[in-house]
Amino acid sequence: MLTPKYPTPDTAPAPAPVIQSPPAPAPMPVPYEPTTTAPVTQTPVPMPVAPTGPARPTVQLTSGAVLGVVAGGTAVVLIVGTVLVSMLLATAITAVSVAVCAVVLRSLLNQQGKH
């Protein structure tokens, strides 16, 4: 009735064997011969000094700028919070609908088994 069908054997020629040559011998290490040298004293080169000019002015925020930064941060937090809450609500609605579908299917299958 159901007999397996085996694929036909390959007719490709067998690959040629790869002949590897023996590895070359490692070179002999050269012995270390320490040499004596006179110590060299170096005088440090003085570093160039950056010119000292007027200091950069500090950033001063006005009350309007602080108010704008606070309003912008508040808006970002509210928008991100709204998006996250809507995603959580969508997940909850999906879970409830799947649960309702499961209950309906279970009741349909139970009724079919009784008849």
Side-chain angles (χ1 to χ4, degrees):
M1 185 167 130
L2 294 174
T3 57
K5 295 183 180 179
Y6 296 107
T8 58
D10 289 336
T11 57
V18 177
I19 300 174
Q20 294 181 351
S21 61
M28 295 296 294
V30 177
Y32 173 72
E33 296 178 11
T35 59
T36 57
T37 59
V40 177
T41 57
Q42 295 180 349
T43 57
V45 178
M47 296 295 292
V49 179
T52 57
R56 289 175 36 190
T58 58
V59 177
Q60 295 181 354
L61 295 175
T62 62
S63 59
V66 170
L67 205 69
V69 169
V70 169
T74 304
V76 167
V77 167
L78 289 176
I79 291 171
V80 169
T82 303
V83 168
L84 291 177
V85 167
S86 65
M87 289 172 63
L88 181 63
L89 182 63
T91 304
I93 291 172
T94 303
V96 168
S97 67
V98 168
V100 168
C101 289
V103 169
V104 169
L105 282 174
R106 183 177 176 189
S107 66
L108 287 174
L109 290 174
N110 283 341
Q111 285 179 0
Q112 186 180 15
K114 291 180 183 178
H115 290 271

